[in-house]
Amino acid sequence: MLTSWFKSVLTLFLLGMTLSTQAGQGREQLETFLHSLNSFEAAFAQRLTDEDGRLIEDSEGHFYLHRPGKFRWEYTLPYAQSIIADGERLWIYDMDLEQVTVHPLKTALSNTPARLLSGDLTVDDEFLVEELGEINGVNWVALQPKQTDGQFAAIRLGFDQDGLKVMAVADNFGQVTRITFLDAKRNQQVDLAQFDFVPPAGVDVIDAGEKQ
């Protein structure tokens, strides 16, 4: 099962979303970031805390995206894991376990507001958007999902002068995943070969699509 923060990140990156015309600075930055987004690359630092704010896990890695429907999350710490979408399938490779799980991409994302990566929805169709103002040079917006049966309760996005800086996703159990993007590059040349995945020899391959 994909975690709620992961689905939330995909919602924002994979949709070609537009905003309503009445927008404050945070919403304007969100629109600028998502409008005509073709590719994105950044290192990331991720922190997961529980409902009391206690640290559960720190992790880090690198993220690559190419629209439509291709992305790669490479975790390097505290363990090595690759999550790769090739446009049709979603591959999750746990190196320590020597195991690969493959999902049909549309099925894997079916419970997200991305709506099968349709690209024809707006933020306001799926979320209630609230301006939270500027804090230490970062402009924040909150996105509250209109559907109450999802796995996450809210998303907060922080933008600085260079674009998307921070994403915080709260799930329905009170856990918060905070992702800080570092050295981000938008709409630059992307090596498409990195979105192709062939399971290494000798690893177990589990086809999750066969169970659906």
Side-chain angles (χ1 to χ4, degrees):
M1 179 181 294
L2 300 181
T3 59
S4 60
W5 73 261
F6 183 69
K7 291 183 177 182
S8 303
V9 171
L10 299 184
T11 297
L12 297 170
F13 278 109
L14 295 174
L15 266 178
M17 295 187 291
T18 58
L19 298 172
S20 60
T21 56
Q22 294 183 347
Q25 187 169 359
R27 286 173 62 104
E28 289 174 356
Q29 286 180 288
L30 176 58
E31 180 178 17
T32 299
F33 177 76
L34 291 173
H35 180 65
S36 71
L37 178 66
N38 297 315
S39 67
F40 184 83
E41 175 184 345
F44 67 87
Q46 179 178 310
R47 169 161 287 207
L48 175 64
T49 55
D50 66 15
E51 64 274 16
D52 296 317
R54 293 188 295 259
L55 177 65
I56 297 175
E57 182 180 77
D58 277 329
S59 54
E60 61 183 59
H62 214 95
F63 174 58
Y64 308 85
L65 168 81
H66 190 272
R67 281 176 169 173
K70 296 183 178 181
F71 55 86
R72 185 179 188 116
W73 286 88
E74 285 289 345
Y75 283 92
T76 55
L77 290 175
Y79 48 81
Q81 184 187 59
S82 299
I83 303 174
I84 304 164
D86 60 13
E88 296 182 357
R89 293 158 295 185
L90 182 71
W91 305 86
I92 302 175
Y93 176 29
D94 289 301
M95 299 177 190
D96 291 342
L97 298 177
E98 297 185 340
Q99 179 177 289
V100 174
T101 305
V102 57
H103 303 258
L105 183 59
K106 291 184 178 181
T107 302
L109 302 181
S110 63
N111 291 327
T112 75
R115 295 286 179 85
L116 310 182
L117 312 183
S118 61
D120 59 354
L121 301 177
T122 68
V123 167
D124 296 295
D125 285 337
E126 300 295 331
F127 299 99
L128 298 173
V129 183
E130 179 185 1
E131 289 275 353
L132 300 179
E134 182 266 335
I135 303 174
N136 296 327
V138 177
N139 293 305
W140 288 90
V141 293
L143 278 65
Q144 184 81 27
K146 292 182 178 180
Q147 295 184 7
T148 59
D149 56 350
Q151 295 186 12
F152 62 94
I155 307 171
R156 292 192 176 191
L157 305 174
F159 295 88
D160 63 11
Q161 60 184 359
D162 297 320
L164 181 62
K165 182 66 175 178
V166 184
M167 174 181 293
V169 180
D171 68 19
N172 290 321
F173 300 99
Q175 293 185 343
V176 176
T177 301
R178 182 183 177 95
I179 303 170
T180 302
F181 295 102
L182 309 167
D183 301 321
K185 301 174 184 177
R186 184 173 181 268
N187 290 345
Q188 295 193 10
Q189 188 71 25
V190 175
D191 180 10
L192 296 180
Q194 67 185 316
F195 304 113
D196 297 327
F197 181 76
V198 177
V203 304
D204 294 327
V205 179
I206 302 172
D207 188 347
E210 294 181 352
K211 301 177 183 180
Q212 299 168 359

